[in-house]
Amino acid sequence: MKKRAGVLFAVATTVAGLVTAVSPAVSADTASAAGPAARTTLTWTACGTKSYPRLQCASVEVPLDHAVPHGRKITLALSRVRHTARDFQGPLLVNPGGPGGSGLSLAGFVAGSLPKKVAAQYDVIGFDPRGVGASEPALDCRPGHFSAVRPDSVPGGAREERDGVGRARAFAEACGERYGDVLPYIDTVSAAKDLDVVRRALGAQRINYFGYSYGTYLGAVYARLFPQRVRRLALDSVVDPTGVWYDNNIAQDHAFDARHKAFAAWVARHDAVYGLGGDPAEVEAAWYRMREALRRSPAGGKVGPAELEDTYLPGGYFNGYWPHLAEAFASYVNDKDPAPLVAAYKNFGASDASDDNSYSVYTAVQCRDASWPRDWGTWHEDNWDVHEKAPFSTWNNAWYNAPCAFWPTGRLDPPDVTNGELPPALLFQATEDAATPYAGGAALHRMLSGSALVVESGGGNHGITLSGNACLDRHLADYLATGEVPRGSGLGEADAVCDALPDPKPLPPERAAAPTRGSTLHGLLGYRG
């Protein structure tokens, strides 16, 4: 789903020699997971970073067009943290979502965040999907498309809306001009078929898969295409496969507005710290007054209304950012000091080259995957209707997706991911998730026969496992260790329920709040801070 600030994978400057791929001793379970010989065609090299020193890197060629397997090839970048236990359960492919997210560093994070006994049983495999990051070719359709200061996302009239349409059209045309030979093959089905090439290169008969956000949809599509190749399937913050993609974005608009209201309510509860009012409606009104002031005079010549929305959208993904966002808000309103707001924009909202790449792939996949309205009148009517009810990010999101109205390729029909041929899958969903609203998790749960749904009750974050909730993490670890899923909680469609973590507290006076596992994860998912 939509995201800002993609994270580049930092390869260590000193690279060791080749790592010889040796077939491990296999248990009975391994034989079904990795194949009797577990031969690999990959050459792994050491590429550890300070944070993830055990990472190894490789690359694999895949067909640009899977219908022409011996035709033009493109390259996918892979990463690995190798198993250390004798009870090897095969490869665990991990994906951070997007579309457009780099998954190379995520392998190190997942391997380091799972219980050691569980992580040791897997080769944790990260990958950059086609078009992303270190894979080749990597898309960058229109460098600097999000450079500040952009026009106000909410059109002030017909002329401003026409200008926005022209800007979206220019992005689509630039993408077609630069990558016209590649764009027809940048889509979820092609990416899912790539995963089966990766599986074969790893020498595995079946794969285990763990995806966040859009990664849940990629995993569900792979499972539909290759059900016999799926061993375990864990999906966190689930895309609604029935709304791909226009309807899902409309649903996001309402959900992000609700999360922005939750942020305002949190600020109001801490009025003694922030001095922005004790009534959530009063706080929200102050935020919109700040937005209007920035329209007239962007903070530091960098933060206008569109950039303000970019800065506060990450708070809709992860409430661990709320204290930082609240301080910038209070400084601007109460102290007339724009510097903290400019700093917050640099930390949370500003784009760089990796974001240009992520956005290019995001649009390429979503615009190709499914039909979008070609008549701008439909976008105009729908987004003004939603804006009336949910003004926080509706038009910002509309312009983010608007190139799809002019995309230079044909559109595919999304596959029906209903599946009765899989081992039990495990789904995780927060009830107040904005990026992938709860209905999506419930829908996929019904579509995957035998799946189990673990619900974080009252949770509003996006990406909830390996983020500090011990209850959720226990369910994930047990599933990866044994393949068993919870069955029935007595609470409707949920098979298990975990309470959400408490909301964060304001920053301490000493200003030395340490990074949390949650903030690290959300940086890897593309919502940096």
Side-chain angles (χ1 to χ4, degrees):
M1 305 302 286
K2 175 185 176 182
K3 62 201 281 183
R4 300 281 192 213
V7 180
L8 282 175
F9 176 68
V11 178
T13 54
T14 301
V15 178
L18 296 183
V19 177
T20 304
V22 179
S23 300
V26 294
S27 65
D29 191 45
T30 305
S32 64
R39 294 190 180 278
T40 175
T41 61
L42 299 173
T43 301
W44 295 95
T45 62
C47 60
T49 66
K50 181 177 180 181
S51 298
Y52 309 113
R54 294 176 55 207
L55 279 175
Q56 301 170 351
C57 291
S59 63
V60 62
E61 287 190 337
V62 300
L64 175 64
D65 180 358
H66 283 278
V68 187
H70 300 295
R72 178 181 171 185
K73 299 295 194 297
I74 59 175
T75 302
L76 304 185
L78 308 178
S79 65
R80 176 177 77 168
V81 176
R82 202 170 183 215
H83 74 283
T84 56
R86 286 187 60 83
D87 293 330
F88 175 52
Q89 299 210 47
L92 173 64
L93 276 64
V94 298
N95 181 268
S102 169
L104 299 181
S105 292
L106 185 63
F109 175 84
V110 170
S113 299
L114 287 169
K116 290 182 180 179
K117 184 176 180 180
V118 176
Q121 298 175 27
Y122 287 95
D123 283 350
V124 184
I125 307 293
F127 59 97
D128 280 358
R130 53 176 55 203
V132 175
S135 293
E136 296 178 355
L139 274 57
D140 188 351
C141 295
R142 194 172 186 237
H145 184 72
F146 288 103
S147 297
V149 173
R150 306 197 310 276
D152 189 341
S153 59
V154 180
R159 179 178 177 180
E160 289 82 357
E161 190 169 340
R162 284 195 302 271
D163 289 346
V165 169
R167 193 167 174 275
R169 188 192 301 272
F171 185 91
E173 291 175 350
C175 218
E177 290 169 2
R178 299 187 75 170
Y179 302 107
D181 58 335
V182 174
L183 291 186
Y185 310 103
I186 306 294
D187 60 85
T188 299
V189 169
S190 294
K193 291 179 179 179
D194 289 344
L195 297 188
D196 211 53
V197 178
V198 172
R199 175 194 63 77
R200 294 196 300 271
L202 292 168
Q205 289 188 355
R206 294 190 293 166
I207 64 168
N208 309 279
Y209 181 92
F210 174 36
Y212 291 95
S213 190
Y214 165 79
T216 67
Y217 183 63
L218 177 61
V221 171
Y222 178 82
R224 176 64 176 181
L225 296 175
F226 305 100
Q228 74 280 9
R229 299 302 185 187
V230 176
R231 182 173 179 270
R232 288 180 191 156
L233 183 67
L235 307 176
D236 181 331
S237 303
V238 179
V239 167
D240 187 345
T242 69
V244 174
W245 289 109
Y246 186 77
D247 290 346
N248 279 352
N249 276 281
I250 295 294
Q252 278 188 333
D253 297 337
H254 293 282
F256 271 105
D257 195 78
R259 285 307 286 165
H260 190 59
K261 286 179 167 59
F263 166 68
W266 181 85
V267 173
R269 289 198 300 274
H270 296 286
D271 183 47
V273 177
Y274 301 115
L276 290 164
D279 178 3
E282 181 181 353
V283 173
E284 189 177 22
W287 191 90
Y288 283 103
R289 287 195 298 272
M290 175 173 66
R291 187 189 189 285
E292 175 60 20
L294 294 170
R295 186 183 65 80
R296 296 191 299 268
S297 179
K302 290 288 186 182
V303 185
E307 291 74 30
L308 182 73
E309 291 162 350
D310 295 350
T311 302
Y312 281 78
L313 269 168
Y317 289 97
F318 178 53
N319 63 6
Y321 299 151
W322 286 0
H324 304 277
L325 297 173
E327 289 205 340
F329 181 11
S331 293
Y332 184 88
V333 172
N334 296 331
D335 303 331
K336 313 304 179 189
D337 181 2
L341 188 62
V342 174
Y345 167 65
K346 291 178 180 178
N347 286 334
F348 295 103
S351 294
D352 58 21
S354 67
D355 305 310
D356 288 343
N357 168 243
S358 295
Y359 179 63
S360 296
V361 177
Y362 172 94
T363 49
V365 171
Q366 294 220 344
C367 299
R368 174 67 170 151
D369 264 3
S371 293
W372 292 75
R374 288 286 195 178
D375 179 2
W376 183 255
T378 301
W379 295 71
H380 171 91
E381 181 176 351
D382 288 347
N383 283 284
W384 278 118
D385 285 349
V386 176
H387 176 82
E388 289 298 314
K389 307 176 186 71
F392 169 59
S393 63
T394 293
W395 274 104
N396 188 298
N397 197 24
W399 297 126
Y400 200 79
N401 292 280
C404 292
F406 314 104
W407 204 246
T409 69
R411 315 301 172 77
L412 301 174
D413 293 324
D416 179 358
V417 299
T418 301
N419 205 324
E421 302 179 54
L422 296 175
L426 186 60
L427 282 56
F428 295 89
Q429 189 66 45
T431 56
E432 311 306 318
D433 183 356
T436 53
Y438 177 83
L444 189 61
H445 178 37
R446 291 189 294 269
M447 297 169 78
L448 299 184
S449 178
S451 65
L453 177 64
V454 179
V455 172
E456 187 183 44
S457 180
N461 288 341
H462 179 70
I464 54 177
T465 57
L466 305 184
S467 189
N469 188 316
C471 175
L472 297 170
D473 292 353
R474 184 172 60 252
H475 283 293
L476 176 63
D478 289 348
Y479 175 66
L480 292 177
T482 68
E484 296 179 2
V485 298
R487 288 299 181 199
S489 65
L491 297 174
E493 60 207 346
D495 293 283
V497 176
C498 296
D499 292 333
L501 296 175
D503 283 336
K505 296 180 180 180
L507 293 174
E510 63 271 18
R511 326 288 306 147
T516 65
R517 203 167 71 179
S519 62
T520 300
L521 171 64
H522 285 82
L524 293 171
L525 299 188
Y527 320 112
R528 74 176 178 215

